[in-house]
Amino acid sequence: MAMAGKRDYYEVLGISKGASEKEVKKAYRQLAKQFHPDVNKAPDAEAKFKEVSEAYEVLTDQQKRATYDQYGHQGVNFGSDGFNWQRDFTHFSDIEDLFGGSDFFGHGNIFDMFFSGQNQRKRGSGELRGSDIRYDIDVTLEEINSGVNRKINIFRHERCIGCNGSGSKTGKLQTCQVCRGRGQEIKQQRTPFGMFQSVSTCTKCGGVGRLPEKPCTTCNGNGIEKKSKDIDVKVPAGVRDGSHLRLSGEGNAGPYGGPKGDLYVVIHEADHSIFTRHEDDILCDISITFTQAALGAEIDVPTIDGRVSLKIPEGTQNHTVFRLKNQGLPHLRGGGRGNEHVRVTIEVPKILSKKQRQILEEYRKIEPKVGQNIWDKLKGIFT
């Protein structure tokens, strides 16, 4: 029994009704990678990502799957707002395996960046992971060219010294009486299709399952206090605007002794007065005189590492682009560099001396006529 507008969950994942849990997870991982909004910029990618996430959440839960197989979408439509993918997604035990890896230069560990700032339970420990922190820094093109070390100052939650992060003055914790140590509150709801259970984080202990026996007066019993911290950040050469540097374990400490989150340093590339960047290539405009363009010349041009000599051939036209090989920015991954592209603009003087005017007047008498061909082509149109 399908709800209006909803596709069959097995159809969404492209699997048969008798597919094993392993087959469900495999199909989900492939589709989630394909439609994740941080990777796929298509207008409908987010909607498809939500759809496969909803199907996965139901078909990997034995009770929900059995209910779905019997009653369809109506049987698993929890609450008035139905499935909330951003709320329920963090409860998956194996979702972190979806993208894997710890490197995050633009397209690395999408899981870590996508859920930054959320408390996550450390598997099997009953502890809550501290939230992630974002810090933005501006770097110049010169710093990107060579790489740079930066010292940044952040305010973050640290373990309370008074109670060593336990939140308890005596160092002892007791089982939460609301959730009885599970960290979750289980509520039952009667529906036309039978009794259903909903599970949510305990509002009393925040999901830890334990509470301080005697709350610490320094941190008010949560085991953390806010402090200033200097951190050294190494920005690698060749990094691009919008890249994220992940510093594992440099985020906020978790409550009641929970592990720290991560620090994400977001790179912003400052505008340059001369160069424009295109991936690892750089571009610049240089003005030359009419005589340099007509007769040829050798000029100095700027690069990111200093000046180099550029030969202007005789008869160079306006907006000709010259390539300086390996004079761009270093590649972030692997050796080599990009190129520099120099576009020349022929500068016409606004004010001429008497002698300059005389010379140009003489030249005008003998210069070849230009633009005549176009008038010959248009002659038949106007006559």
Side-chain angles (χ1 to χ4, degrees):
M1 178 166 49
M3 294 177 64
K6 276 185 173 287
R7 288 201 297 155
D8 179 76
Y9 287 147
Y10 294 101
E11 179 187 345
V12 169
L13 296 181
I15 56 177
S16 65
K17 193 171 183 179
S20 65
E21 185 175 345
K22 185 177 180 180
E23 290 172 323
V24 173
K25 290 180 178 180
K26 181 179 179 181
Y28 168 71
R29 285 191 182 96
Q30 292 174 344
L31 292 170
K33 287 181 181 179
Q34 180 181 348
F35 295 121
H36 197 287
D38 284 357
V39 175
N40 191 328
K41 300 303 181 182
D44 61 344
E46 183 174 338
K48 289 182 178 179
F49 183 68
K50 292 178 182 179
E51 185 180 42
V52 298
S53 300
E54 180 178 343
Y56 173 86
E57 194 268 352
V58 171
L59 298 184
T60 52
D61 185 294
Q62 290 185 1
Q63 184 178 345
K64 291 179 184 177
R65 183 171 180 175
T67 305
Y68 174 74
D69 288 344
Q70 187 172 1
Y71 299 108
H73 291 290
Q74 289 286 357
V76 291
N77 184 28
F78 305 113
S80 60
D81 61 343
F83 177 87
N84 185 326
W85 73 285
Q86 286 185 313
R87 176 193 67 220
D88 297 334
F89 213 47
T90 57
H91 295 170
F92 296 164
S93 62
D94 66 343
I95 190 65
E96 190 170 0
D97 300 329
L98 221 137
F99 297 101
S102 60
D103 185 26
F104 195 78
F105 287 109
H107 299 292
N109 191 333
I110 296 173
F111 172 85
D112 288 326
M113 192 58 201
F114 192 76
F115 293 107
S116 63
Q118 299 185 16
N119 282 339
Q120 299 162 21
R121 181 179 300 282
K122 187 178 180 183
R123 298 178 188 175
S125 68
E127 296 178 334
L128 286 181
R129 176 183 180 273
S131 60
D132 297 335
I133 299 174
R134 170 176 172 152
Y135 191 96
D136 295 67
I137 62 172
D138 294 322
V139 293
T140 66
L141 207 59
E142 286 79 8
E143 289 173 329
I144 292 173
N145 179 54
S146 60
V148 64
N149 292 322
R150 286 283 187 87
K151 187 181 290 292
I152 64 174
N153 180 266
I154 63 171
F155 282 90
R156 69 180 183 187
H157 290 139
E158 299 276 5
R159 286 190 176 185
C160 174
I161 298 176
C163 62
N164 196 29
S166 69
S168 174
K169 187 184 293 185
T170 61
K172 295 180 180 180
L173 300 175
Q174 59 187 12
T175 301
C176 174
Q177 296 303 307
V178 174
C179 66
R180 297 183 180 180
R182 290 189 297 263
Q184 297 176 326
E185 295 183 64
I186 301 175
K187 298 178 182 179
Q188 290 189 332
Q189 180 182 6
R190 186 178 295 279
T191 74
F193 303 102
M195 292 294 293
F196 287 92
Q197 278 191 162
S198 63
V199 181
S200 60
T201 302
C202 178
T203 54
K204 180 69 174 177
C205 66
V208 179
R210 297 171 297 164
L211 289 169
E213 186 180 67
K214 292 184 178 180
C216 171
T217 54
T218 303
C219 62
N220 295 320
N222 57 23
I224 53 178
E225 52 183 335
K226 205 159 192 177
K227 292 184 177 180
S228 173
K229 173 72 174 180
D230 288 330
I231 297 177
D232 292 319
V233 177
K234 184 177 182 180
V235 180
V239 69
R240 297 187 181 182
D241 183 68
S243 294
H244 301 73
L245 308 179
R246 177 188 175 196
L247 281 71
S248 180
E250 293 291 357
N252 287 316
Y256 310 120
K260 289 183 177 180
D262 300 328
L263 169 65
Y264 288 92
V265 179
V266 183
I267 305 298
H268 297 283
E269 182 182 313
D271 292 334
H272 199 276
S273 60
I274 298 175
F275 300 113
T276 302
R277 181 178 183 176
H278 179 69
E279 296 184 349
D280 291 336
D281 289 353
I282 56 175
L283 304 88
C284 74
D285 288 301
I286 296 295
S287 296
I288 61 174
T289 65
F290 167 75
T291 53
Q292 287 176 322
L295 302 177
E298 193 164 323
I299 63 172
D300 287 338
V301 296
T303 71
I304 199 69
D305 290 315
R307 294 184 180 184
V308 299
S309 181
L310 174 65
K311 185 175 182 180
I312 305 296
E314 183 178 313
T316 293
Q317 299 300 301
N318 194 35
H319 290 165
T320 298
V321 178
F322 298 93
R323 185 184 71 160
L324 300 177
K325 192 175 180 180
N326 296 325
Q327 293 293 338
L329 296 170
H331 300 315
L332 180 61
R333 303 188 184 281
R337 302 175 67 93
N339 302 313
E340 178 174 343
H341 302 274
V342 179
R343 183 174 63 177
V344 296
T345 302
I346 300 175
E347 193 171 280
V348 178
K350 295 181 179 179
I351 300 174
L352 296 172
S353 67
K354 185 176 181 180
K355 186 172 184 179
Q356 287 172 328
R357 179 173 292 277
Q358 288 175 347
I359 293 172
L360 287 176
E361 288 290 353
E362 289 295 320
Y363 175 73
R364 182 159 61 176
K365 295 176 183 178
I366 59 173
E367 72 177 344
K369 293 191 177 293
V370 295
Q372 192 63 40
N373 288 341
I374 192 170
W375 293 111
D376 292 339
K377 292 177 181 179
L378 294 173
K379 190 179 295 183
I381 298 176
F382 297 112
T383 57

